[in-house]
Amino acid sequence: MSRIKSCFERLQQQGRKALIPYITAGDPNPQATVPLMHRLVEAGADIVELGVPFSDPMADGPVIQLACERALAHQVSLANVLEMVAEFRKTDSTTPVVLMGYLNPIEAMGAEQFAERARAAGVDGVLTVDLPPEEADSLVPVLRRAELDTIFLLAPTTTEERIRSICEHSTGFVYYVSLKGVTGSNQLNTDEVAAKLGEIRKQSSLPIGVGFGIRDAQTAAAVASVSDAVIVGSALVKLVEQHQDDLPKMQDTVAGLLASMRAAIDA
Amino acid sequence: MATRFDAEFLENVPDSRGHFGPYGGRFVSETLMASLLELEQQYNSLWAKPEFQAEFDRDLADYVGRPSPLYFAERLTRETGGAQIFLKREDLNHTGAHKVNNTIGQALLAKHLKKPRIIAETGAGQHGVATATVAARLGLECCVFMGEEDVKRKALNVYRMKLLGAKVIAVSSGTKTLKDAMNEAMRDWVTNVDNTFYIIGTVAGPHPYPKMVRDFQAIIGREARRQCLEKTGRLPDALVACVGGGSNAIGLFYPFLADESVQMYGVEAGGLGLETGKHAAPLNAGKPGVLHGNRTYLMEDENGQITATHSVSAGLDYPGVGPEHAWLKDTGRASYVAITDEEALDAFRRLTRIEGIMPALESSHAIAHGLKLAKQMDKDQILIINVSGRGDKDIHTIAAIDGISL
Ligand SMILES: Cc1ncc(COP(=O)(O)O)c(C=O)c1O
């Protein structure tokens, strides 16, 4: 069984919701990432989502754009990100790691090579933001053969028919984008999210993670009350930006925010 | 196996998911899929309607001033020595470039879809001006995204857009040029998808944009084909057009694809020279990848990061190219060459002095290659060069190169 699947099963038995922080790999510098991943786990992360920096992050708001720019200033490549995961795995063999990014760096490495190296590094799932299932026929089977979970996005505008097809392509969990917008927007409406999750659950029994627009303990708890997992990105990355010159402080504040979300979700 | 570009074959290009061979497609985040599917469906149904086509044709005639002339450049032909050179005068269109053909078409769609707000990306500002123009005419709110570098380079067009009532947003992310403006426009679209129509300015982006923009721009080639037959009694031997995203080129080429005897040359921006890496010539020096919603040739590094481009002309300064060109290249139906900044500037001066026509710097790339080609052709052969736009917007750039401040 995949690490992601067993993670959700364990949480379900405990009656708890998953907390999934996102950080951009290599932000603010390559050395900061692995220690920060461990801090996230200590602060209550169930799964870590690691962003692969890309020069043209079309679906991201300004906060994650800048994070990509900081990482790319250090020439952080997909190969480097895989090295970071391997490093993380040396001391953490249980926390699932999901890579989130765009298709072009994967294609540049080659799908087969990427899948093999990701598996070997200890990656558990892959979410490619600009790859809808219609175009995924060549990548998904390759990832599956390497026993990597394939995670796809669902949006408020996704029709019933597409929900079915997207869920069929997904393993591990599906990622519901809570709002019309880019990462870092703040127009979250929990009632709307709840209604859409109801539609999705009619089509699929996969766990549903909800992301985009979760910025504090309160919004995290609200989303956790209707979803299986809460994904938080820009709110954490903003703190990385603010404290990029003081790494211990950066780790403390990021871990602090995540811990407050953990407490609110579990309360 | 050689591809036969007959009418029946072309009917199915792109396929129903927007693929031109291995290129094109729809690579966007799920948030945009519903809008793209709706746009595709509405476009297909409206474009099939004679009333819609009539409305489009009427606007092109009465508002844009079409047909644009196919002009026999007699003196240029004589001085060059070789093929007879004809110029397709898109520079004479309202707003000064071919871009307006497409914005007229997409604005009609926006009107039919009842979207009160229009957004666009722009490089040189020609597409931005053409968009602001149709928005003014239809009373739509208009917001144009432009890279900070380009805002500086093309101040005249920025002011024109403002006069037309558009809001110009300077984009400071990434390389601060056209590709970043496109990223930002996409982000705006995802956020305001309910009330906003995104008018993409070239044959790039996710399906159905490459097909739709081609269909709107194909008026260039349809007219040129008819005009050439009327004036000379035969088809041209070769076509030349500059390629940024590739909309003026595909507009000229497309109606000739089934005419096997007609050769086609797309001219990319060679910048400081292909060997320097400082250029914007993905078909000449890039490799296939995925950016801005489609698979195509891109300028990227070994890690799949999109690299910075350079061209003296802001409108060609783009690391990708429309997917149909990628496919025409691979099939060998069209050839793609590069012209340097310096060669383009020479061609600008030459056309200005010899024919009294000041071409846009983008179009000057096509002129430069056209002149090289004409010399190698026979006197009884016919060459059509697309003058995609006029040079007014570039006067400051050229003066600065001459060391003159206006
Ligand atoms: C006059 C002119 N020609 C050509 C281009 C390049 O675009 P495309 O390759 O889509 O025709 C531009 C773009 O700004 C332009 O203004």
Side-chain angles (χ1 to χ4, degrees):
Chain A
M1 192 192 302
S2 84
R3 260 191 289 250
I4 294 176
K5 189 158 185 224
S6 50
C7 170
F8 276 105
E9 283 186 3
R10 191 189 68 240
L11 286 168
Q12 202 188 3
Q13 280 161 13
Q14 299 168 348
R16 296 169 71 222
K17 302 300 172 75
L19 178 58
I20 310 181
Y22 164 100
I23 54 170
T24 302
D27 169 34
N29 63 56
Q31 295 72 40
T33 301
V34 175
L36 183 58
M37 289 169 77
H38 288 303
R39 283 297 295 273
L40 293 173
V41 175
E42 284 165 29
D46 298 298
I47 297 175
V48 173
E49 205 175 283
L50 202 53
V52 180
F54 183 48
S55 54
D56 294 79
M58 233 168 62
D60 286 297
V63 171
I64 293 177
Q65 286 170 46
L66 287 172
C68 284
E69 288 184 15
R70 286 192 294 274
L72 289 175
H74 297 277
Q75 275 90 40
V76 173
S77 66
L78 178 55
N80 296 146
V81 178
L82 295 177
E83 286 160 17
M84 291 173 196
V85 178
E87 178 70 28
F88 172 78
R89 278 279 168 258
K90 284 184 184 163
T91 48
D92 186 330
S93 57
T94 53
T95 310
V97 174
V98 171
L99 295 189
M100 180 168 184
Y102 295 78
L103 184 57
N104 206 50
I106 293 178
E107 293 213 339
M109 180 177 278
E112 298 275 352
Q113 235 211 74
F114 165 69
E116 228 165 82
R117 289 168 72 174
R119 182 70 209 163
V123 171
D124 299 284
V126 177
L127 194 175
T128 314
V129 179
D130 55 350
L131 186 72
E134 286 89 338
E135 298 285 355
D137 289 349
S138 56
L139 186 61
V140 165
V142 174
L143 296 178
R144 291 281 170 77
R145 270 200 300 282
E147 295 176 359
L148 294 165
D149 279 316
T150 53
I151 296 148
F152 284 90
L153 299 175
L154 291 165
T157 47
T158 307
T159 58
E160 201 179 312
E161 196 188 337
R162 286 186 62 77
I163 292 177
R164 194 175 318 122
S165 128
I166 291 168
C167 290
E168 277 166 11
H169 281 80
S170 304
T171 57
F173 65 99
V174 289
Y175 187 134
Y176 179 67
V177 174
S178 68
L179 45 80
K180 294 175 192 163
V182 292
T183 51
S185 311
N186 52 6
Q187 297 147 7
L188 188 67
N189 178 329
T190 319
D191 290 341
E192 279 175 21
V193 171
K196 194 72 182 184
L197 295 200
E199 278 178 49
I200 298 167
R201 288 194 204 283
K202 280 189 209 141
Q203 309 264 0
S204 169
S205 56
L206 281 173
I208 307 173
V210 174
F212 286 40
I214 293 152
R215 54 190 185 282
D216 51 22
Q218 196 187 350
T219 40
V223 165
S225 69
V226 296
S227 70
D228 302 301
V230 176
I231 305 163
V232 52
S234 294
L236 301 176
V237 174
K238 185 90 207 157
L239 296 175
V240 174
E241 179 184 342
Q242 269 166 26
H243 304 292
Q244 54 183 297
D245 298 323
D246 184 349
L247 294 187
K249 177 120 195 249
M250 183 270 280
Q251 292 184 0
D252 290 345
T253 50
V254 171
L257 177 58
L258 196 69
S260 74
M261 291 179 167
R262 177 84 266 172
I265 292 171
D266 290 346
Chain B
M1 199 187 69
T3 310
R4 273 193 65 87
F5 287 78
D6 53 27
E8 189 189 326
F9 173 75
L10 289 170
E11 185 68 15
N12 296 309
V13 177
D15 71 12
S16 63
R17 286 181 181 176
H19 299 110
F20 302 85
Y23 302 107
R26 194 145 41 201
F27 295 85
V28 294
S29 82
E30 180 57 25
T31 325
L32 282 179
M33 282 303 285
S35 296
L36 288 169
L37 290 166
E38 187 200 28
L39 175 62
E40 180 192 3
Q41 192 225 336
Q42 297 274 356
Y43 170 65
N44 287 340
S45 94
L46 284 168
W47 190 240
K49 287 200 173 107
E51 309 88 85
F52 183 84
Q53 296 239 2
E55 198 177 353
F56 179 55
D57 289 344
R58 202 163 50 237
D59 279 354
L60 289 182
D62 298 343
Y63 189 71
V64 176
R66 303 202 71 93
S68 69
L70 183 69
Y71 166 70
F72 176 46
E74 200 176 342
R75 183 161 176 234
L76 186 67
T77 297
R78 203 165 57 237
E79 303 247 331
T80 306
Q84 297 167 47
I85 301 168
F86 285 80
L87 303 177
K88 182 60 175 160
R89 300 289 311 275
E90 292 300 302
D91 58 312
L92 294 179
N93 292 341
H94 179 44
T95 70
H98 70 292
K99 296 283 178 191
V100 72
N101 302 328
N102 168 47
T103 59
I104 290 275
Q106 291 199 50
L108 278 181
L109 283 178
K111 192 175 92 176
H112 282 272
L113 291 171
K114 301 199 167 42
K115 304 274 186 183
R117 179 170 178 268
I118 279 177
I119 58 170
E121 84 294 336
T122 197
Q126 285 305 109
H127 174 59
V129 168
T131 302
T133 299
V134 296
R137 177 171 174 247
L138 295 176
L140 303 172
E141 185 187 335
C142 179
C143 190
V144 179
F145 296 90
M146 190 167 185
E148 222 172 60
E149 278 301 314
D150 294 331
V151 167
K152 274 188 236 149
R153 281 200 276 191
K154 292 287 161 261
L156 179 67
N157 272 344
V158 172
Y159 188 55
R160 284 169 85 194
M161 289 184 264
K162 287 183 181 161
L163 287 175
L164 287 160
K167 198 160 120 197
V168 178
I169 297 175
V171 177
S172 61
S173 58
T175 59
K176 307 177 177 40
T177 58
L178 180 54
K179 84 172 170 73
D180 309 284
M182 192 147 178
N183 290 334
E184 209 51 41
M186 289 272 182
R187 292 177 188 124
D188 180 292
W189 197 33
V190 182
T191 309
N192 301 299
V193 67
D194 291 330
N195 75 342
T196 298
F197 190 102
Y198 179 16
I199 300 191
I200 294 184
T202 188
V203 282
H207 182 58
Y209 282 98
K211 175 182 189 296
M212 189 167 78
V213 176
R214 175 196 76 192
D215 291 348
F216 291 141
Q217 290 292 2
I219 184 71
I220 302 173
R222 279 202 304 277
E223 284 177 8
R225 196 171 183 283
R226 195 189 68 228
Q227 290 165 323
C228 188
L229 287 170
E230 278 167 13
K231 282 179 198 287
T232 71
R234 62 188 205 77
L235 290 173
D237 296 283
L239 308 174
V240 182
C242 67
V243 176
S247 68
N248 85 89
I250 210 74
L252 178 64
F253 297 174
Y254 185 68
F256 290 95
L257 283 178
D259 300 316
E260 278 181 38
S261 66
V262 181
Q263 300 200 311
M264 303 174 180
Y265 298 87
V267 186
E268 295 193 305
L272 303 181
L274 293 184
E275 68 289 352
T276 65
K278 294 195 183 333
H279 57 81
L283 290 170
N284 280 277
K287 62 172 190 161
V290 171
L291 177 70
H292 291 156
N294 68 98
R295 185 187 303 284
T296 188
Y297 279 81
L298 298 174
M299 293 192 36
E300 58 176 82
D301 67 14
E302 70 280 8
N303 296 320
Q305 307 296 346
I306 307 307
T307 49
T309 50
H310 166 83
S311 171
V312 69
S313 84
L316 302 185
D317 213 349
Y318 180 66
V321 61
E324 192 158 10
H325 288 291
W327 176 72
L328 291 176
K329 171 190 159 75
D330 283 10
T331 56
R333 181 63 189 94
S335 306
Y336 294 87
V337 297
I339 282 292
T340 62
D341 288 353
E342 211 175 296
E343 291 173 307
L345 287 161
D346 280 351
F348 170 87
R349 292 179 211 280
R350 218 171 144 72
L351 192 67
T352 301
R353 296 296 284 268
I354 294 183
E355 290 288 349
I357 296 172
M358 261 184 225
L361 282 176
E362 290 79 10
S363 323
S364 301
H365 287 70
I367 310 285
H369 185 69
L371 297 184
K372 282 190 195 175
L373 195 64
K375 280 192 196 133
Q376 297 158 14
M377 294 168 69
D378 293 335
K379 282 192 169 19
D380 57 356
Q381 289 191 296
I382 296 169
L383 172 66
I384 297 180
I385 306 174
N386 202 20
V387 184
S388 56
R390 59 176 173 249
D392 306 29
K393 69 177 172 50
D394 298 315
I395 300 303
H396 278 86
T397 306
I398 289 159
I401 289 168
D402 285 343
I404 296 165
S405 102
L406 298 179

